[in-house]
């Protein structure tokens, strides 16, 4: 591994804002149960950004929704500041709602088309009784300015804005309650490429200035690399690989992570990357492959992959991989 | 009612907004004229609606009797505008009742899975009956009177609104802006009113104009069949029923109350269409 892992990074318990353990979510459908998320565990430290990466259908959005109890998780726990969010009754959860917020992927459907911007942001303020009258008005204007809009925008309806501006309104709404943790669910993937960078910069800026802790959900590894401290790679609801961003990027150990990285463009033309092109689509979660769920698309799959469900093996400080062949494959990975 | 409150939110010139929309303006104008004629009938009507004049029976329309006279020599014009009072009252009251019951049921069914099973079954069962049959049954069970007709029609048309509201609620409650509200901890009832109901104003209005029109037609049908209000009371339905026997010799007896129904129904549709456009901020570029 790289030399940076030499320094002992013993996770400091007080440092961890959210600790997710064994999060699973099953949906019952007409044709049987679907395991959208299966036994996910990870920690989010204060002030850090954890990236959850995966293709569509990997369960990353469901995992995020579960953490906010927008979708009820089937099992597991999420210890937020010492309290298990999953076992809180709805009433008690309400107090925690203020501390965890979400930024949505689609800037169009995430704003009520019949509410003016000031009412959208104001609703957040009112729900938790944070400000009234002139203070409320001032707070709305401050939030708008903070996300790069102007106070005059308060009286407008969402349809009068561009996608990037709408996303800024969504961010302002999330910030209105001064949350400690923000889950950003693909916040830029619905935006034009030219606007993506602006919104990403805004998110990063806000994160630094306000000391926010974030879970950043994305299918785009370049975006995650740019922002995140930790990375969790999901495939079909299972964790394939997780660890510090630097370590995962420098030494991707799971064939799936390698494939994802291979699809990401590299700004340096002299860098030669292995070409791994995944065949086919992500399998149906209704009928997941036996053993390792990735084996049907894995270029390195062998018979044993169908037999055993891979356990998490530690390959570096905080870096772990779920692949039975990771040790032998590592030699073939020399670029 | 919901329309007025939603559109008056600091829009300075509501009258200009309305006038810019021809269909809405025309529809509203017709409705206003019809309503005025009905309300001011005692002042406008040249004759009392029940005044008999056997010598003048079945006279065709003329300067004396704008719409002609019926088999008892009563003035059709006077009777038509008096009848408007009841027809409009029944339509409006039945629509209001249907809206109250239907919107409540639809929201509850759309929002709470457990209630949905029961409410939807009841809605389906009610909609399995033809409107007029169910109305007749209800009137028969409750005893014929003006109030029963209103209640019966309100009950008959409530499921239509409930269904529209339920279907849209099911869609809207999954939208990210509702999720955002839930993530903020906004209470359920407020999500239902502010986020769901407010986005349902257009479909509800459109449906309500239909129901207003249907209820008026149904009232006419009930009266025509003799199970509505008493035949002595002029409504457009009872007038058409009476004219039916003379349709060969005095078609004006049926034509004018019939036209009144058509005109009212048509203008209601125009108003519904126009309001839908007016209330949709996406179509409102002039603010």
């Amino acid at each position: 591994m790289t030399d940076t892992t030499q320094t002992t990074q013993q996770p400091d318990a007080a440092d961890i804002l959210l600790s997710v353990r064994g999060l699973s979510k099953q949906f019952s459908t007409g044709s049987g149960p679907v395991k959208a998320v299966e036994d996910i565990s990870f920690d989010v430290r204060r002030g850090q950004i954890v990236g959850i990466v995966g293709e569509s259908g990997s369960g990353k959005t469901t995992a995020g929704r579960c953490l906010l109890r927008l979708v009820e998780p089937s099992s597991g726990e999420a210890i937020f500041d010492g309290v298990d969010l999953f076992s809180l009754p709805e009433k008690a959860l309400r107090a925690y709602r203020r501390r965890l917020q979400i930024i949505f992927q689609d800037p169009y459907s995430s704003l009520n088309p019949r509410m003016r911007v000031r009412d959208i942001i104001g609703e957040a303020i009112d729900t938790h009784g944070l400000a009234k009258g002139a203070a409320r008005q001032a707070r709305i204007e401050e939030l708008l300015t903070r996300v790069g809009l102007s106070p005059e925008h308060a009286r407008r309806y969402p349809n009068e804005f561009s996608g990037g501006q709408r996303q800024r309104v969504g961010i302002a709404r999330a910030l209105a309650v001064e949350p400690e943790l923000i889950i950003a669910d693909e916040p830029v993937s619905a935006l034009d490429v030219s606007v993506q960078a602006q919104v990403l910069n805004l998110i990063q800026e806000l994160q630094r200035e306000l000391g926010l802790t974030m879970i950043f959900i994305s299918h785009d590894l370049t975006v995650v690399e740019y922002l995140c401290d930790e990375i969790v790679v999901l495939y079909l609801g299972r964790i394939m690989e997780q660890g510090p961003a630097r370590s995962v990027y420098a030494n991707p150990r799971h064939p799936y992570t390698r494939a994802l990285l291979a699809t990401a463009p590299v700004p340096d033309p002299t860098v030669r990357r292995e070409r791994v092109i995944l065949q086919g689509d992500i399998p149906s979660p209704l009928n997941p492959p036996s053993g390792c769920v990735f084996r049907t698309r894995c270029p390195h799959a062998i018979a044993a992959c169908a037999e055993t469900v891979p356990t998490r093996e530690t390959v570096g400080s905080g870096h772990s991989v779920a692949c039975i062949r990771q040790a032998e494959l590592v030699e073939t990975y020399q670029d | 009612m919901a329309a007025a409150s939603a559109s008056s939110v600091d829009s300075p010139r509501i009258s200009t907004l309305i006038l810019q929309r021809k269909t809405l303006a025309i529809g509203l104008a017709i409705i206003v004229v019809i309503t005025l004629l009905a309300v001011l009938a005692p002042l406008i009507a040249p004759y009392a609606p029940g005044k008999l004049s056997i010598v003048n029976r079945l006279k065709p329309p003329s300067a004396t009797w704008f719409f002609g006279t019926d088999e008892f020599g009563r003035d059709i014009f006077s009777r038509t505008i008096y009848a408007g009072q009841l027809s409009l009252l029944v339509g409006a009251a039945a629509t209001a009742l249907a809206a109250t019951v239907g919107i409540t049921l639809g929201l509850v069914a759309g929002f709470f899975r457990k209630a949905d099973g029961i409410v939807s079954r009841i809605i389906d069962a009610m909609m399995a009956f033809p409107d007029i049959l169910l109305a007749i049954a209800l009137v028969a069970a409750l005893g014929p009177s003006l109030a029963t007709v209103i209640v019966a029609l309100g009950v008959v048309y409530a499921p239509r609104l409930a269904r529209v509201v339920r279907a849209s609620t099911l869609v809207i409650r999954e939208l990210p802006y509702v999720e955002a509200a839930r993530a903020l901890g906004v209470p359920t009832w407020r999500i239902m009113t502010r986020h769901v109901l407010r986005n349902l104003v257009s479909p509800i209005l459109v449906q309500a104009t239909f129901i207003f029109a249907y209820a008026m037609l149904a009232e006419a049908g009930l009266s025509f069949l003799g199970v509505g209000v008493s035949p002595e009371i002029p409504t457009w339905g009872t007038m058409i029923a009476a004219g039916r026997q003379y349709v060969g010799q005095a078609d004006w007896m049926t034509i004018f109350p019939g036209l009144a129904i058509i005109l009212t129904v048509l203008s209601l549709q125009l108003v519904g269409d126009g309001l839908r456009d007016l209330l949709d901020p996406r179509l409102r570029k002039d603010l």
Side-chain angles (χ1 to χ4, degrees):
Chain A
M1 265 61 351
T2 51
D3 43 2
T4 50
T5 56
Q6 295 279 317
T7 50
T8 43
Q9 290 187 331
Q10 207 51 38
D12 183 355
D15 226 27
I16 292 174
L17 180 60
L18 174 70
S19 177
V20 181
R21 289 290 168 266
L23 166 60
S24 297
K25 174 61 189 176
Q26 270 192 24
F27 290 104
S28 43
T29 68
S31 25
V34 168
K35 291 177 177 171
V37 175
E38 177 86 338
D39 192 24
I40 287 183
S41 304
F42 61 92
D43 290 331
V44 185
R45 295 201 180 81
R46 280 179 208 276
Q48 287 207 328
I49 305 186
V50 171
I52 299 183
V53 197
E55 289 167 278
S56 46
S58 61
K60 52 193 194 308
T61 294
T62 305
R65 295 282 199 282
C66 282
L67 293 178
L68 291 170
R69 295 269 300 269
L70 292 174
V71 169
E72 283 300 322
S74 305
S75 62
E77 49 184 26
I79 312 292
F80 179 84
D81 202 14
V83 176
D84 181 11
L85 296 175
F86 293 173
S87 60
L88 283 178
E90 186 61 41
K91 272 235 170 85
L93 183 64
R94 204 152 274 172
Y96 279 86
R97 295 238 177 253
R98 188 187 157 188
R99 305 177 63 184
L100 291 92
Q101 277 301 305
I102 179 166
I103 299 169
F104 292 91
Q105 172 174 12
D106 182 356
Y108 291 89
S109 58
S110 59
L111 303 178
N112 186 338
R114 295 199 182 266
M115 284 169 78
R116 291 169 197 268
V117 165
R118 62 163 177 250
D119 299 323
I120 291 172
I121 298 172
E123 179 172 58
I125 295 171
D126 299 341
T127 302
H128 296 279
L130 300 178
K132 279 197 174 123
R136 179 179 180 271
Q137 180 67 22
R139 175 78 176 133
I140 292 171
E141 290 178 4
E142 180 207 328
L143 283 161
L144 285 174
T145 316
R146 172 133 244 170
V147 297
L149 296 170
S150 79
E152 292 87 73
H153 287 133
R155 53 183 298 274
R156 302 225 187 134
Y157 283 101
N159 64 297
E160 297 172 62
F161 293 101
S162 69
Q165 288 176 313
R166 281 162 168 253
Q167 200 57 300
R168 287 170 193 270
V169 174
I171 293 170
R173 170 177 60 193
L175 291 178
V177 294
E178 296 164 26
E180 291 158 62
L181 177 76
I182 290 187
I183 297 179
D185 183 9
E186 303 234 31
V188 298
S189 56
L191 303 177
D192 288 345
V193 181
S194 56
V195 185
Q196 288 193 355
Q198 296 172 19
V199 174
L200 278 179
N201 284 333
L202 172 69
I203 288 175
Q204 194 174 39
E205 210 179 281
L206 292 170
Q207 190 262 336
R208 284 199 191 130
E209 281 172 26
L210 306 173
L212 290 171
T213 309
M214 287 186 87
I215 295 177
F216 193 94
I217 298 171
S218 179
H219 65 270
D220 186 343
L221 271 162
T222 42
V223 167
V224 170
E225 179 178 21
Y226 169 74
L227 278 178
C228 300
D229 303 293
E230 295 272 332
I231 289 183
V232 176
V233 180
L234 285 189
Y235 184 81
L236 219 64
R238 281 86 166 164
I239 294 182
M240 297 290 112
E241 183 163 7
Q242 72 186 107
R246 202 181 292 175
S247 174
V248 172
Y249 277 96
N251 286 296
R253 298 295 289 270
H254 197 284
Y256 180 57
T257 316
R258 297 188 72 82
L260 281 181
L261 280 174
T263 59
V266 184
D268 181 354
T270 61
V271 172
R272 289 220 156 261
R273 267 209 169 140
E274 60 178 333
R275 293 179 69 87
V276 190
I277 293 162
L278 290 183
Q279 301 295 322
D281 287 323
I282 196 162
S284 161
L286 259 177
N287 188 16
S290 64
C292 172
V293 287
F294 183 58
R295 67 177 168 82
T296 50
R297 296 168 76 197
C298 181
H300 306 291
I302 54 172
C305 293
E307 315 277 306
T308 33
V309 178
T311 51
R312 219 86 62 66
E313 292 174 44
T314 306
V315 294
S317 172
H319 186 172
S320 63
V321 178
C323 174
I324 55 169
R325 297 191 69 199
Q326 61 87 12
E328 52 173 310
L329 285 174
V330 74
E331 277 128 56
T332 69
Y333 289 159
Q334 303 315 322
D335 291 337
Chain B
M1 350 96 237
S5 65
S7 59
S8 62
V9 192
D10 90 38
S11 47
R13 316 158 309 269
I14 187 80
S15 51
T16 357
L17 287 176
I18 291 174
L19 286 175
Q20 279 167 359
R21 283 162 185 79
K22 279 212 188 85
T23 53
L24 182 57
I26 294 171
L28 273 177
I30 301 176
I31 287 280
V32 168
V33 168
I34 291 173
T35 312
L36 281 179
L37 280 174
V39 172
L40 303 177
L43 302 177
I44 299 166
Y47 305 92
K51 186 174 181 280
L52 306 179
S53 173
I54 298 301
V55 276
N56 292 322
R57 63 194 298 267
L58 299 177
K59 291 282 188 213
S62 65
T64 329
W65 305 284
F66 305 141
F67 292 176
T69 62
D70 68 6
E71 78 273 28
F72 299 118
R74 295 177 296 195
D75 179 39
I76 300 282
F77 175 72
S78 304
R79 288 177 71 75
T80 303
I81 59 176
Y82 267 101
Q85 292 181 344
L86 264 175
S87 295
L88 289 174
L89 173 72
V90 171
T95 307
L97 181 65
T100 314
V101 177
I103 290 170
T104 313
L105 284 180
L107 273 179
V108 168
F111 237 89
F112 306 106
R113 286 250 159 83
K114 281 178 191 155
D116 189 23
I118 305 165
V119 174
S120 290
R121 266 344 120 244
I122 296 173
I123 291 174
D124 289 346
M126 288 178 68
M127 290 193 76
F129 289 96
D131 300 344
I132 206 91
L133 202 63
L134 187 57
I136 290 174
L138 284 168
V139 172
L142 301 170
S145 78
L146 184 61
T148 350
V149 171
I150 291 171
V151 169
L153 292 176
V155 169
V156 166
Y157 291 112
R160 282 173 192 266
L161 259 172
R163 216 179 230 194
V164 169
V165 171
R166 173 183 171 272
S168 308
T169 303
L170 285 175
V171 174
I172 293 175
R173 73 154 192 208
E174 303 296 335
L175 289 177
Y177 64 78
V178 171
E179 282 197 304
R182 286 174 55 209
L184 282 169
V186 177
T188 307
W189 64 269
R190 213 187 289 162
I191 293 181
M192 286 166 90
T193 51
R194 187 182 289 171
H195 293 283
V196 179
L197 202 50
R198 204 191 272 195
N199 280 287
L200 290 181
V201 170
S202 319
I204 287 174
L205 267 179
V206 172
Q207 203 61 32
T209 52
F210 273 120
I211 288 175
F212 198 133
Y214 287 146
M216 278 182 38
L217 282 173
E219 179 275 318
L222 288 178
S223 303
F224 181 85
L225 294 169
V227 287
V229 294
S230 146
E232 289 97 69
I233 304 173
T235 73
W236 293 332
T238 53
M239 290 176 71
I240 293 175
R244 189 179 51 116
Q245 294 153 319
Y246 301 93
V247 80
Q249 9 171 189
D251 47 18
W252 52 87
M253 282 181 68
T254 44
I255 285 174
F256 290 107
L259 274 178
I261 294 177
I262 292 171
L263 209 58
T264 314
V265 171
L266 181 71
S267 57
L268 280 170
Q269 309 280 13
L270 292 177
V271 171
D273 264 9
L275 277 179
R276 186 185 51 202
D277 294 350
L278 181 71
L279 293 175
D280 192 337
R282 277 161 297 193
L283 298 172
R284 191 153 87 191
K285 297 196 175 70
D286 41 9
L287 268 182

